[in-house]
Amino acid sequence: MKIAIIGSGTMGSGIAQVAATSGCIVKLFDLNQEALTKSATALETTLSKLVEKEKIDATEKSRIQNNIFYVNTLKELSDSDLVIEAIVENLEVKRKVFSELETLVSENTILASNTSSLSIASIAASCQKPERVIGIHFFNPAPLMQLVEVIPAVQTSEEVLQKSVQIISDWKKVVAVAKDTPGFIVNRVARPFYSESLRIYDEGVADFATIDWALKTIGGFRMGPFELMDMIGHDVNYVVTETVFTAFYFDPKFKPSFTQKRLLEAGFLGRKSGRGFYNYNQELPAPTEDTVIAKSIFERVIVMLINEAADTLFLNIASAKDIDNAMTKGVNYPKGLLAWADELGINWCVEKLDELYNEYHEDRYRCSPILRRMSKSGSFFLIND
């Protein structure tokens, strides 16, 4: 199969490696020749390390490299079976690229966007054959992260959806099919991990280090929310939060925090700039290791995450299985949130959310109808489908 990737940044290069490893012939496109050279050099380094670790041998390394061709004109992508766009998160730029692409490729070529939160329907509308357009969203780093969200637009044909799912499955990835709504699964469901932690900080309940410690110690998360936001970068994480908030007609449960906004405005982007929530040019602060506070922090964040996962199921954004797979395979959560709801108990989740709502009287703490419904029926949450 012939695959084209548009954009040779970290994500585009990672997707190219995945496809080439699976035996596809890949053309990696970028207008910037220097960026293409950088991509080829980075791949050489990555594969050499895999050889050193005896994960692959020299023959396999050569095979993967020989499957990738670096090109700087779109016309060279004309014979592709599937094109995956992985460029800047700007709707108009993407629409322009898709419109031009359609004039160069065959009518059977699938056109996919790796967008993390933009409307697939809007991108598809820029094409004469919108039924061939779909979202195929990888997670960074693409070669290591197991999950890929596949997002059909309202225009996408069933044939294109099934072909896309099959291709990504053949690349040995875990596929989660999601409805074309802001943030899809992961970037929607994960928002409370950041936003509720920020709210806890803004209220003066605990500092960054203590909140991070609480969620790692009690919750088993690999990274705390502030560590993770600093690693992602506030120029990315805050913008996604703001995009989702706006796209959901300013639903208060997605409301961004001024604390993070001010860091972005100051240029304190996280690890990439040396300073974010933490200052990486000095010794990092120690947490207050109070298990009572930590338990309270964990319970407040986890119930908000569960509530969002519940709403995602309630609104038919994705299946229960895909929601839990998305969170464990896409962002390495220690458990699927719906399975976690089962474990904690649906009644407990409803009572905790009602407790928060009664304290704050804010719509962000409204309990998902499906949680309340299942609480009354006495059922557990995880749905086997």
Side-chain angles (χ1 to χ4, degrees), residues 71-191:
V71 303
N72 57 13
T73 59
L74 280 175
K75 288 181 180 179
E76 295 184 70
L77 310 183
S78 62
D79 61 347
S80 304
D81 299 305
L82 166 66
V83 181
I84 301 176
E85 163 273 312
I87 58 173
V88 63
E89 281 287 272
N90 180 294
L91 182 59
E92 290 311 310
V93 172
K94 290 181 187 293
R95 285 169 58 91
K96 183 178 178 182
V97 168
F98 273 70
S99 182
E100 184 177 354
L101 262 178
E102 195 174 35
T103 66
L104 302 173
V105 298
S106 82
E107 62 178 21
N108 296 318
T109 302
I110 296 173
L111 303 180
S113 175
N114 184 61
T115 180
S116 60
S117 58
L118 297 176
S119 163
I120 306 300
S122 185
I123 294 170
S126 66
C127 294
Q128 294 297 314
K129 287 192 65 179
E131 63 272 16
R132 64 153 98 200
V133 177
I134 195 164
I136 299 180
H137 178 221
F138 287 78
F139 291 79
N140 194 28
L144 298 181
M145 300 304 291
Q146 293 178 280
L147 183 79
V148 177
E149 293 176 323
V150 174
I151 310 100
V154 291
Q155 306 100 311
T156 307
S157 72
E158 182 64 24
E159 181 185 8
V160 166
L161 171 59
Q162 295 306 323
K163 280 185 177 179
S164 300
V165 168
Q166 188 60 57
I167 290 167
I168 302 305
S169 297
D170 288 345
W171 292 358
K172 295 181 172 57
K173 294 296 185 181
V174 175
V175 175
V177 177
K179 191 183 288 185
D180 184 17
T181 54
F184 313 134
I185 304 172
V186 171
N187 278 316
R188 174 189 180 139
V189 175
R191 301 286 24 109

Side-chain angles (χ1 to χ4, degrees), residues 9-82:
T10 302
M11 184 59 77
S13 297
I15 298 170
Q17 181 184 332
V18 171
T21 300
S22 296
C24 297
I25 301 302
V26 180
K27 289 182 180 176
L28 182 58
F29 165 84
D30 204 299
L31 285 171
N32 188 330
Q33 186 59 51
E34 186 178 335
L36 290 172
T37 302
K38 183 179 178 182
S39 175
T41 302
L43 180 64
E44 166 67 28
T45 301
T46 297
L47 296 179
S48 293
K49 287 180 180 177
L50 291 176
V51 171
E52 288 175 18
K53 295 176 181 178
E54 298 184 347
K55 298 287 181 69
I56 62 173
D57 58 23
T59 301
E60 174 69 354
K61 174 189 172 185
S62 296
R63 184 188 69 82
I64 295 169
Q65 289 177 309
N66 291 337
N67 279 347
I68 303 178
F69 298 86
Y70 300 86
V71 303
N72 57 13
T73 59
L74 280 175
K75 288 181 180 179
E76 295 184 70
L77 310 183
S78 62
D79 61 347
S80 304
D81 299 305
L82 166 66

